[in-house]
Amino acid sequence: SFREMIVVGIATKDRRRELTFPATSDETLRKEYPTHGESAKFRAFIASEVKPWVERSYRTDGHDAVIGESLAGLFIVETFLKQPDLFDGYAAIDPSLWWDNGALAIQARGLLAAQSSSERTRGERALYMAVAQGAPAMRVPQAAVANTLKSVAPAGLSFTYEVMDDEQHSTIYHRAALMALRK
């Protein structure tokens, strides 16, 4: 059984705009998706409007978590690395860490080092990352982020990396979301 929870869904209007950071090394992404790259604004919207609205509108216990798949999974990992104190729990399901030639995987060690030196970061946090069977362009940056987290995890982090080779990108969500909630 699960503890009580309030589930809040946030619809996106332009996934590539709201869930991705600016592509600086991949010219093709900039041309194909000219509106991309405003994940920082989306994160600010969640922090300044969504979370306060939930707190005002519902009885909460102060514990919160976020879950996303594919590009939303990319957003989850980016949020964990760049603004770790925004949530207590993070679940990234088959995150699209291939975005911008794996830039987030390359930046992960430095972003984690910045977390370790920050006094404002909350104590206990959890990150669950599940990955499906996938091409090297998808799996290599996912594994790189997982390996970085395993080697230089900030204090108080409970990290789970679940490889689901029997799932595809299109089938992993329901199983992995259930596993994430159990964690």
Side-chain angles (χ1 to χ4, degrees):
S1 83
F2 296 110
R3 65 194 257 187
E4 289 184 337
M5 66 179 85
I6 299 163
V7 178
V8 177
I10 305 170
T12 57
K13 293 180 181 180
D14 178 345
R15 288 177 59 79
R16 287 184 181 84
R17 181 184 72 225
E18 295 153 347
L19 300 175
T20 65
F21 50 88
T24 58
S25 70
D26 191 331
E27 180 67 30
T28 304
L29 290 176
R30 289 194 302 273
K31 287 180 181 175
E32 288 183 19
Y33 310 111
T35 62
H36 84 280
E38 295 187 7
S39 59
K41 287 183 181 178
F42 191 58
R43 200 168 14 265
F45 165 72
I46 291 169
S48 67
E49 295 187 40
V50 176
K51 288 183 66 171
W53 176 80
V54 171
E55 292 292 325
R56 280 191 317 271
S57 303
Y58 298 96
R59 176 184 48 87
T60 67
D61 66 3
H63 180 83
D64 54 19
V66 64
I67 188 169
E69 184 255 346
S70 194
L71 282 179
L74 172 71
F75 176 80
I76 300 304
V77 174
E78 181 193 10
T79 300
F80 172 78
L81 291 171
K82 293 182 178 178
Q83 197 172 347
D85 54 353
L86 189 55
F87 295 97
D88 299 303
Y90 295 81
I93 299 172
D94 215 20
S96 296
L97 292 169
W98 58 264
W99 181 261
D100 198 27
N101 296 313
L104 201 55
I106 295 164
Q107 298 166 11
R109 187 171 297 277
L111 291 167
L112 287 167
Q115 280 188 32
S116 296
S117 64
S118 172
E119 291 184 26
R120 66 182 179 84
T121 301
R122 296 188 207 196
E124 299 297 316
R125 285 171 292 133
L127 171 60
Y128 175 85
M129 187 164 75
V131 300
Q133 182 185 99
M138 188 78 154
R139 288 294 285 275
V140 168
Q142 290 170 334
V145 167
N147 290 335
T148 299
L149 281 161
K150 289 175 185 174
S151 66
V152 293
L157 175 65
S158 170
F159 175 58
T160 303
Y161 181 60
E162 190 102 30
V163 176
M164 297 181 177
D165 280 330
D166 55 336
E167 297 287 354
Q168 302 293 319
H169 189 71
S170 61
T171 64
I172 191 173
Y173 182 79
H174 292 95
R175 178 175 162 208
L178 181 60
M179 297 295 292
L181 290 172
R182 287 181 173 155
K183 293 280 180 189

